[in-house]
Amino acid sequence: MTRAVIAEPRIGASILRLFFHDCFVQGCDASILLDDTPTFTGEKNALPNRNSVRGFEVIDTIKTRVEAACNATVSCADILALAARDGVVLLGGSPWTVPLGRRDSRTANQSAANTQLPPPFANLTTLISLFADKGLNARDMTALSGAHTIGQAQCVGFRTRIYNDTNIDTNFANARKAGCPVSGGDNNLAPLDVQTPNKFDNSYYKNLMLRRGLLHSDQELFNGGSQDALVRIYSNANAAFAVDFAVAMVRMGNISPLTGTDGEIRKNCRVVN
């Protein structure tokens, strides 16, 4: 992970998102890593994932080295959980202990990926509900959203926000419009945190207070609703954010793990044994 993040700082955010998108579909079971085949439909081509989830090659590299050192022992699911943590730490975030012992699924669920992952246009009620479905409360949701202190989003995910939303800083919206036209340029990227896009800090929450959330779903956390007070706390105290983020990451990492004789330890993260 150190080599990967030095080569491309954004990869820390990409792998963190990969872990999130894994855990919200069938639990943290590495189902998102399975490739589509003529007889198997995975999750990589679900709408929230197609042409946007990335970092698979880094996980492949880690898996190859782990197998060489200690074969058929460490799951792809655990590797992804550890890589997500390490990416955060390498970009300046606080470390946490990752519980281990997950096993890998033999199945994936594209339809669940299409319906259970929070979309960038979701409102606060929908966000709270989608996280509650996974056993995560509103505080967990607001803390985990702080992952958007790093990484990039595609124009298609924030176009309606910068052109239609009114709870947005005008200068910020105008700056984003330069790289995200009304039509075309769907894959053009912009940093989720314009202040420190490659530093894991609490700037995301400071941006929200200035109405500079890039996604509609980001700004929903600070828009006269139930999470405003918590956003204020996190924007004023990076330490408070760091503690809650770590707790919430462990809770997310504990969603429906496969243990005991359930699942398997994949030899290649892209295919079932």
Side-chain angles (χ1 to χ4, degrees), residues 1-79:
M1 280 303 292
T2 302
R3 287 183 191 172
V5 170
I6 287 171
E8 186 199 22
R10 182 190 174 202
I11 204 72
S14 300
I15 287 176
L16 180 56
R17 181 170 185 249
L18 200 54
F19 181 54
F20 166 44
H21 282 213
D22 180 34
C23 291
F24 262 56
V25 182
Q26 293 191 164
C28 310
D29 62 357
S31 59
I32 196 169
L33 303 179
L34 293 168
D35 283 339
D36 286 10
T37 72
T39 56
F40 182 89
T41 302
E43 297 164 14
K44 292 184 178 181
N45 283 302
L47 285 171
N49 294 335
R50 188 185 307 153
N51 299 323
S52 69
V53 284
R54 58 198 298 277
F56 299 109
E57 296 77 13
V58 176
I59 302 301
D60 290 338
T61 300
I62 296 170
K63 179 62 172 173
T64 300
R65 293 181 185 180
V66 170
E67 285 297 306
C70 179
N71 74 302
T73 306
V74 182
S75 67
C76 300
D78 276 352
I79 286 172

Side-chain angles (χ1 to χ4, degrees), residues 78-113:
D78 276 352
I79 286 172
L80 184 52
L82 290 164
R85 188 271 314 270
D86 291 351
V88 168
V89 172
L90 288 163
L91 293 175
S94 299
W96 64 90
T97 302
V98 178
L100 299 172
R102 300 169 192 81
R103 287 164 64 85
D104 298 322
S105 70
R106 296 188 182 95
T107 62
N109 192 331
Q110 191 185 85
S111 63

Side-chain angles (χ1 to χ4, degrees), residues 144-187:
L144 289 169
S145 298
H148 288 180
T149 178
I150 52 175
Q152 309 268 320
Q154 295 178 354
C155 166
V156 68
F158 60 84
R159 178 182 284 122
T160 51
R161 165 138 175 84
I162 61 175
Y163 287 98
N164 297 349
D165 283 6
T166 53
N167 61 339
I168 187 167
D169 177 80
T170 306
N171 291 334
F172 173 74
N174 289 337
R176 289 283 71 91
K177 287 174 184 176
C180 182
V182 175
S183 63
D186 282 4
N187 297 328

Side-chain angles (χ1 to χ4, degrees), residues 125-141:
T125 305
T126 300
L127 292 169
I128 290 172
S129 173
L130 287 169
F131 277 77
D133 288 345
K134 304 299 172 186
L136 299 169
N137 62 33
R139 190 183 189 95
D140 296 325
M141 184 270 295

